[in-house]
Every structure is written in C-alpha cells, then in structure tokens.
Amino acid sequence: MTGDRVQGDGGSGDGWRTEVCRDGAEFGRLGERWASLYARCSTATPFQSHSWLHSWWVSYGRPGALRVVLVRREDGELVAAAPLMRARGPLPVLTQLGGAITDFTDVLLDDACPGAAAALADALAGVARGAVIDLREVRPGASAEQVFARWRGPRRRLRDSLCLELPAQPMDALLARIPTGKAQQRVRAKLRKLDALGIDERIVPGDEVPAALDRLLRLHRLQWQGRNVTAEHTSDRFAQHLARAVRPMVEGGDARVTEFRLGGDVVAADLTLMSPRLAGGYLYGADPELRARKVDVATMLLRHGAREAGASGRAVLSLLRGNEPYKRHWRPETVPNQRLMLTGRGTAPLLWLSAGAADGRRWAARQARERAWVRRVVERLPGRPRGGGG
C-alpha cells in the first residue's frame, strides 16, 4: 500500500492521510474499517459494502489493476474511500469496482466529516494524473456528486442506465397507480389466485443462505431455459461471488433472501439488496411450473417486496436497472443513473475523447432501439408483406 499526505480539515482540526490500496489481500483486511465508514455514509447502497466489493474483486479482479483510494484521520479511521481499478482498453482509465453486475456505484464519505469530500477529491486528483476517472451508474444524490462538485479539473456528467422506482407502500396503494379499473381488477384476480394456491413466504436466515442461493440460481436457470438470459448470471464466477458476498450481507442487514414454497417445495426465490433508503430486487428464480399454472411471479415478488420494504421503514422499492414492460405496468418513477468523468487539466483531451466515445455508443444504441421499434410497427401494418423484402 502506498501513502501520500494530504492536508485538510477533518472537522476536528486533524490532517488527512491518503493511501492507495493496490493489493487484494490488503483490501480484504480493510473489512472492519470499511464497514464502519459504510455505516456512517447515509447515501451508501449495499453495492458499496465491503462484502460485495471485495467478493467482486476476488471473482472479477485482475492482478495489478486495483486502486482503492483511502482517506484516513490521523488515528487511522477511514473518512472517505473510492473503490477503483485500472480499466481494460487502450486509454488510461480508472473505473469503479463492481462492473456490469452492480446497479449503483459510489464513493463513501463520512457524514460527520464535512471536509471528507474535498479531501477525497484531492486524493483522486493525485491518483488521476495521466488518467480519466470514469464512474458509471451513479445514483442521483450519491456521495460521488459531492466529489464531482469539488473537482477542480475538467469533468463531464453523462446519462447512464435508467432505473425504475416505486414508493414502498402497501399493495392497495400500488394498485391505485394502475390507470384503469379493469387493469386493477386483473391484478387483484392474480393476487387472489396466489392466495388460493397457498404459496408460503419464508425469509432465509444467514446460516441457510448458501444452500438457498444454490436453489435460487438453479431456479433462475430453469426459468430462462431456452430464452435469452444474462449470460454472466449463469457463470461459476457469479455464483461464487454471491456465495461469498450475500451471507455476511444478510447477517448485516444489507440483503434478504426469500423463498416461496408450494406444498413444501421451493418454487421461487428472491435476492433483495437493502440500504436505509431503499430495497431493490436484484435477482430471482422461479420454477416454470408456476408459469404453466398461470401464476404471475412478478406480482408475487412485488407484493412481498413492497410489504417488507414498507415494514422496515424504507421509502423506495427499486426495480433497479432496466426498462422492461412488466415493470412499466406499475407506473414507476424513472430515475436515470449518471456517469461522472473526471481528469486533470493536462489530460483533458483524454476526457473529451472518452466522453465522446460514450456519447457515440449511447446514440448508436438509441438508434438501434428506435429502428427496431419502427420495423416492428411497419411489419404489423395491414397489407404489409411478411417475411420478404420491402
């Protein structure tokens, strides 16, 4: 681990000590200090917990790429942290740990230390010499916005993935969001069917989480068999990551695994990640037999999630990233994540090049979606020839 001194005011007159952790084993030993800072950062989500990040690094990290920036008080207590790594590719870029399987990324700042954001910005400026810091999937209101506001060099803010959110309200209140009475009646009928079947819900205790995750992933594979699925969710390294990360998260209150049983058999399972502000359904699996019996699994999970989130005092039930039609059915709020890009003045051209490439990829993806939508509409027009050319 390397250390550079950064002077600043920690709220008590003490100076700051800045370090960059480049060793995975050393990162693993930060667990207790990291957990303490995580508990003092009100914007943190479970994706910033040490359990999630260190487990991700063990599964997905590359030797020599780790760059975890730490700001400590003189007594060694962490007041800020940025979990970064050197990205693949031709340009020198530092990006967040967590990769594509992480819905929200952020830095950690001690709420009780008003100078922590400026100290972390200064520390990152030192680390970013000759590189671009590229923070993907930053939730609005995240601590990274404080660092962005105090950045003294070139910076860019771009849109990133869309997330959908519902208020953590009872099911009757969520039903009221559906615009027509007929649609509401259909959902009520689905709920009555669930009740008539007698599907039991059981929240899994920590010591049973590993076996429950095995069942969840097996059901997830069955559910998507023969259909397009996120390939990473079926990989061994993803399963190993969840096996390491989720049990301590459940025991610490950052995650919940729920199993749904019918006649004593587990027919569905759900992994929800939880912060003080929100609960987010991360991954679920369901036996195809439920679909054959016309059980609406999404409605079952939503009812359970809304009830648990509301009972725990959380304000938001997040549907996380993705704009799937079944989510839109409930008229959720659209909350776009952000992409924050930072660099030094001497490397501003790298920032503009990286931001321009990102804008170009987003434009190309948008064009592809729009053209696919137009093509589907045209193909459905009356008298339109099917299967041939125009």
Side-chain angles (χ1 to χ4, degrees), residues 178-179 183 186-187 190 324-332:
I178 300 175
R186 285 196 296 269
V187 175
K190 293 174 181 178
E324 296 87 348
Y326 79 89
K327 296 179 181 179
R328 285 290 181 187
H329 179 71
W330 298 92
R331 300 300 189 270

Side-chain angles (χ1 to χ4, degrees), residues 28-261:
R29 290 190 286 271
L30 286 173
E32 186 175 346
R33 297 277 193 181
W34 193 282
S36 176
L37 173 59
Y38 172 78
R40 289 178 275 118
C41 180
S42 59
T43 66
T45 75
F47 296 113
Q48 283 75 62
S49 69
H50 187 267
S51 296
W52 182 269
L53 291 170
H54 181 254
S55 176
W56 183 91
W57 176 255
V58 171
S59 282
Y60 296 90
R62 306 188 327 276
L66 192 64
R67 303 286 191 278
V68 180
V69 182
L70 308 169
V71 180
R72 299 180 186 268
R73 293 198 303 253
E74 290 295 334
D75 62 3
E77 193 70 24
L78 287 174
V79 297
L84 303 177
M85 67 176 187
R86 182 72 175 258
R88 295 183 186 274
L91 298 179
V93 174
L94 296 177
T95 191
Q96 75 289 331
L97 302 187
I101 64 169
T102 294
D103 288 72
F104 302 129
T105 67
D106 201 1
V107 302
L108 294 178
L109 298 175
D110 187 338
D111 293 337
C113 293
L120 184 58
D122 288 344
L124 289 172
V127 173
R129 292 191 184 101
V132 173
I133 297 175
D134 186 2
L135 303 179
R136 302 291 308 272
E137 308 298 355
V138 176
R139 179 178 163 80
S143 290
E145 290 186 331
Q146 298 183 47
V147 174
F148 186 83
R150 290 163 175 80
W151 192 258
R152 292 194 286 264
R155 59 185 183 172
R156 282 288 304 275
R157 187 195 303 261
L158 307 175
R159 287 173 67 92
D160 219 329
S161 301
L162 291 180
C163 295
L164 301 179
E165 294 182 354
L166 289 166
Q169 296 176 334
M171 200 63 183
D172 284 343
L174 294 180
L175 280 168
R177 300 175 68 89
I178 300 175
T180 67
K182 191 172 183 179
Q184 292 178 19
Q185 290 172 9
R186 285 196 296 269
V187 175
R188 291 185 190 279
K190 293 174 181 178
L191 293 170
R192 288 194 297 270
K193 184 177 182 67
L194 286 168
D195 293 335
L197 281 173
I199 295 178
D200 296 323
E201 303 170 359
R202 176 176 177 268
I203 295 176
V204 178
D207 61 338
E208 298 180 27
V209 163
L213 288 174
D214 286 342
R215 290 190 289 269
L216 188 157
L217 291 171
R218 178 181 60 80
L219 288 168
H220 184 75
R221 289 191 295 271
L222 282 173
Q223 165 193 333
W224 288 98
Q225 199 167 32
R227 298 187 290 161
N228 290 331
V229 63
T230 301
E232 188 57 36
H233 290 168
T234 65
S235 71
D236 289 341
R237 65 179 180 178
F238 180 73
Q240 292 162 7
H241 162 61
L242 291 186
R244 280 189 303 268
V246 174
R247 178 174 177 172
M249 293 172 73
V250 166
E251 293 173 341
D254 297 321
R256 181 182 64 237
V257 178
T258 305
E259 292 189 327
F260 301 81
R261 295 175 180 262

Side-chain angles (χ1 to χ4, degrees), residues 257-275:
V257 178
T258 305
E259 292 189 327
F260 301 81
R261 295 175 180 262
L262 181 60
D265 296 325
V266 177
V267 293
D270 170 75
L271 170 60
T272 293
L273 304 185
M274 301 180 295
S275 73

